[in-house]
Amino acid sequence: MTTPTAESALATGDAVPDREETISRDELEALQLSRLQHTVAYAYDRVPLYKRKFDEAGVHPTDLRELSDLGKFPFTTKEDLRLEYPFRMFAVPQKEIARIHASSGTTGRATVVGYTKQDLADWAKLVARSLRASGVRPGMKVHNAYGYGLFTGGLGAHAGAEALGCTVIPISGGQTERQIQLIQDFEPDAILATPTYLLTIADAMIKQGIDPASTSLKYAVLGAEPWTEEMRHELEVTMNIKACDIYGLSEVMGPGVAGEAVETQDGSHIWEDHFRPEIIDAFNPAVGVDSVLGDGEHGELVFTSLTKEALPIIRYRTKDLTRLLPGTARPAHRRMGRITGRSDDMIILRGVNLFPSQIEEIALRIPELSPHFQLELTRPEGQRMDQLTVRIERRDAVSVESSASAAKVLQQQIKIHVGSSCTVDVVDPGSLERSNGKLRRIYDLRPKA
Ligand code: DLL
C-alpha cells in the first residue's frame, strides 16, 4: 500500500520513500510478526510440503508468538523446490498464477516459482523502491540489460522501472554492439545490468573508440552476481556513473529483495516489511535453532517471505554468505554486507577457503591488471594436490614485462591475504571470455571423484 504522499511523490519525480520505508523499527517488527504469523499458517494450510515438514519437526503455526519463534521452524532448501517440481510448492490454484519464472537449473531440475497478480504488484513496488533508493527517478530513461525470459532479472527490473514511472528500454542481455548503439542514440539516464556485463559494455565501447565516461548514463543498478567495492570503483570511474547494488533471488521473489541507497552506498537494505532475514551458521551440519547468529556475524542468509501468495517461502536457505548490519539510509531496514560468495561456490584449496570475490578485490588494486579474470582448478597427473591458476588480462597500455612483475605481486598478495599458493598467468587484453549476464569465474577441471 502506498500512501497518497508517496504516490504524489512518484508523480512529481520527488524521491520521497514509501511509508513502510520510513516507519520505526518497533512498528516494522510488529508488522513482521503479524505477517509472519499469517504466512506460516497460510503455508501450513495450503502447501503439503510445509505441513509435512512442520509436523515432522513438531511445530505448529500457533507456536509462533514472537519473532524469535521463527527459529523453531524447519528450513526450506532448493532441493525441496526441486522435489516438488514443477508446481507443488504453489499455495494457490493454477488459474490464480499470473506468471511463472524458473532458474536455469545447471545441475538437476530447474526450480520453478510462481506469482499471483498481487505478488507481481508487490514485486514491482519493491524493485521501484530499490531503483529509487539507487538514484533512479520517475521520468528517467532506463536501459534494462538484464536477461528477459524465465530469469527474474529482465522482467522483474522492467516492471519495477515501469512502476516507478520510468521510460523503459527492454534491451535484455547480449548483442553488445547494439546496446552501445542504443545507449548513444536513446541517451538513457540509468542502466540495469550485472556488474560483469556492464564491464563488457564499457570494454566494447573503448574498443570502438567511444569513451565510456562520455555517455548519458548517470546511474547503474547492478546485481545478480557477487561484486566488490573495487569493481564499483572501476565501473564508476570508467563510466562516470554512480553504481549501486540490487539483490534478490528467484525463490524469494527476484531482484528487489534488497536495494542500496545512492547517498550512502553502504550495502543493500533488505525490505523487511516483505522479508524476514536471518543469518545461520552455514557450515554447521546440525543447523537448527541454536545456529541463528546475531547481527554482524557472518553466515548464510535465510529468508522468510511475509506477503507472498503464490509461493510463500519459510526459512529459505539462500547459500549466500554475508552478515546483517543496522539500517542507515532506511533506518528500520537492516542492510546486508556484500556477499562474499555462495557456500556452494567456495573453492577449498588444500584446506583453505577461497572465493572469486577475494581475487577480484586483490587484483583490482594492482594497476597493471584488469578486472577480467578466471580461476582454473586442476589436479595434475599423478599428483594429489589441487592447483589453482588465476588467469587474468593485463590492462591495454601495459607491457608484457611490467605485467610479469604484476603477476608476482598478485601471487604474493593472494598468499598473504587468502593463504593459498597459486599460479598467475597474465594474458593479452581481450583474450578471456566476456560476460553476457552472470559471469562464470570458476573452471573446475579436476577429475570427478
Ligand atoms: O539473480 C535475481 C536478480 C536479478 C538480482 C537481477 C539482482 C538483479 P537468481 O537467478 O535466482 O536471481 O540468482 C540468485 O544470485 O542467491 C546470489 O547468489 C546472486 N545474487 C543476486 N544478487 C546479488 C548481489 C537473481 N547483488 C543468486 N550480489 C543469489 C551478490 C547476488 N550476489
Side-chain angles (χ1 to χ4, degrees):
M1 271 268 296
T2 45
T3 62
T5 350
E7 270 161 18
S8 50
L10 293 188
T12 57
D14 223 343
V16 176
D18 299 341
R19 204 192 80 78
E20 291 87 351
E21 270 177 273
T22 55
I23 59 180
S24 69
R25 183 74 202 172
D26 284 350
E27 251 186 297
L28 180 67
E29 288 195 352
L31 183 67
Q32 284 188 329
L33 181 60
S34 65
R35 288 183 168 178
L36 201 52
Q37 285 169 329
H38 166 79
T39 298
V40 291
Y42 177 87
Y44 184 80
D45 290 343
R46 290 175 175 238
V47 183
L49 174 106
Y50 287 122
K51 177 159 182 7
R52 207 161 60 233
K53 284 195 141 202
F54 290 11
D55 288 349
E56 273 166 23
V59 282
H60 189 266
T62 50
D63 295 331
L64 205 144
R65 289 184 206 95
E66 48 190 271
L67 286 172
S68 59
D69 290 333
L70 183 58
K72 297 175 184 158
F73 288 78
F75 294 110
T76 307
T77 62
K78 202 177 185 77
E79 195 47 33
D80 289 322
L81 268 71
R82 288 213 177 105
L83 290 172
E84 299 304 304
Y85 178 89
F87 302 145
R88 283 192 295 273
M89 292 295 287
F90 291 178
V92 297
Q94 180 261 308
K95 65 180 189 327
E96 288 175 37
I97 300 281
R99 184 155 357 123
I100 283 168
H101 280 282
S103 75
S104 50
T106 39
T107 50
R109 278 175 174 171
T111 45
V112 178
V113 295
Y115 306 78
T116 63
K117 281 212 163 89
Q118 184 59 47
D119 291 335
L120 291 178
D122 286 340
W123 185 13
K125 181 187 81 173
L126 293 181
V127 173
R129 188 191 282 184
S130 305
L131 296 178
R132 197 171 63 245
S134 301
V136 183
R137 293 287 172 272
M140 282 188 179
K141 281 175 275 179
V142 174
H143 180 104
N144 184 18
Y146 286 119
Y148 282 64
L150 287 174
F151 174 51
T152 53
L155 286 163
H158 180 110
E162 264 185 12
L164 181 57
C166 299
T167 306
V168 188
I169 302 156
I171 179 96
S172 190
Q175 294 190 287
T176 308
E177 308 294 297
R178 190 139 183 268
Q179 305 249 359
I180 295 172
Q181 186 68 51
L182 294 192
I183 290 170
Q184 290 187 295
D185 296 347
F186 294 176
E187 302 186 325
D189 304 279
I191 185 161
L192 317 180
T194 64
T196 57
Y197 189 56
L198 188 57
L199 200 60
T200 300
I201 293 177
D203 206 43
M205 281 181 177
I206 295 168
K207 284 216 173 59
Q208 288 185 25
I210 300 164
D211 176 7
S214 71
T215 73
S216 57
L217 290 169
K218 291 186 277 297
Y219 300 100
V221 188
L222 311 174
E225 60 182 2
W227 59 305
T228 57
E229 280 307 313
E230 285 70 17
M231 182 70 101
R232 187 197 319 256
H233 180 74
E234 169 87 19
L235 289 167
E236 289 196 335
V237 171
T238 314
M239 301 204 69
N240 189 24
I241 50 167
K242 280 282 190 187
C244 285
D245 183 61
I246 184 164
Y247 168 85
L249 62 166
S250 50
E251 293 86 350
V252 173
M253 182 178 77
V257 171
E260 190 172 40
V262 70
E263 63 270 32
T264 46
Q265 289 192 305
D266 55 357
S268 283
H269 282 86
I270 297 167
W271 304 127
E272 288 203 60
D273 48 334
H274 291 267
F275 309 100
R276 171 81 185 172
E278 296 169 281
I279 296 283
I280 61 163
D281 182 357
F283 300 103
N284 175 355
V287 276
V289 190
D290 298 339
S291 61
V292 177
L293 301 176
D295 286 5
E297 290 188 87
H298 283 277
E300 178 180 343
L301 188 56
V302 169
F303 279 110
T304 301
S305 68
L306 302 177
T307 49
K308 282 174 70 189
E309 294 179 341
L311 192 98
I313 194 103
I314 312 291
R315 305 196 84 205
Y316 184 72
R317 291 190 59 170
T318 64
K319 301 204 164 153
D320 290 327
L321 302 173
T322 184
R323 60 192 175 133
L324 294 176
L325 298 165
T328 50
R330 304 290 181 274
H333 299 261
R334 279 173 291 178
R335 285 168 302 140
M336 49 194 278
R338 272 207 187 271
I339 293 184
T340 35
R342 292 177 54 79
S343 56
D344 55 1
D345 218 14
M346 186 173 76
I347 298 170
I348 305 175
L349 192 70
R350 288 172 242 141
V352 177
N353 300 345
L354 181 141
F355 293 101
S357 61
Q358 291 173 291
I359 307 291
E360 181 176 295
E361 203 173 299
I362 298 169
L364 279 179
R365 291 194 197 132
I366 303 172
E368 291 84 0
L369 301 178
S370 80
H372 305 288
F373 69 92
Q374 291 174 355
L375 306 180
E376 191 178 279
L377 283 166
T378 50
R379 189 174 304 148
E381 281 268 332
Q383 286 192 25
R384 297 219 316 271
M385 299 280 244
D386 292 339
Q387 169 82 41
L388 169 70
T389 304
V390 180
R391 195 156 288 137
I392 185 160
E393 290 180 13
R394 62 172 180 278
R395 299 239 183 219
D396 273 328
V398 172
S399 69
V400 175
E401 295 76 55
S402 38
S403 68
S405 56
K408 277 214 183 70
V409 176
L410 179 58
Q411 196 179 27
Q412 282 162 356
Q413 292 293 311
I414 293 173
K415 181 76 194 157
I416 294 167
H417 295 289
V418 184
S420 301
S421 302
C422 65
T423 307
V424 173
D425 185 8
V426 180
V427 297
D428 289 341
S431 57
L432 298 181
E433 199 177 315
R434 290 292 182 268
S435 164
N436 258 335
K438 291 183 192 247
L439 179 64
R440 175 170 166 208
R441 293 269 194 211
I442 302 172
Y443 290 78
D444 190 347
L445 308 179
R446 292 173 295 186
K448 296 275 171 295

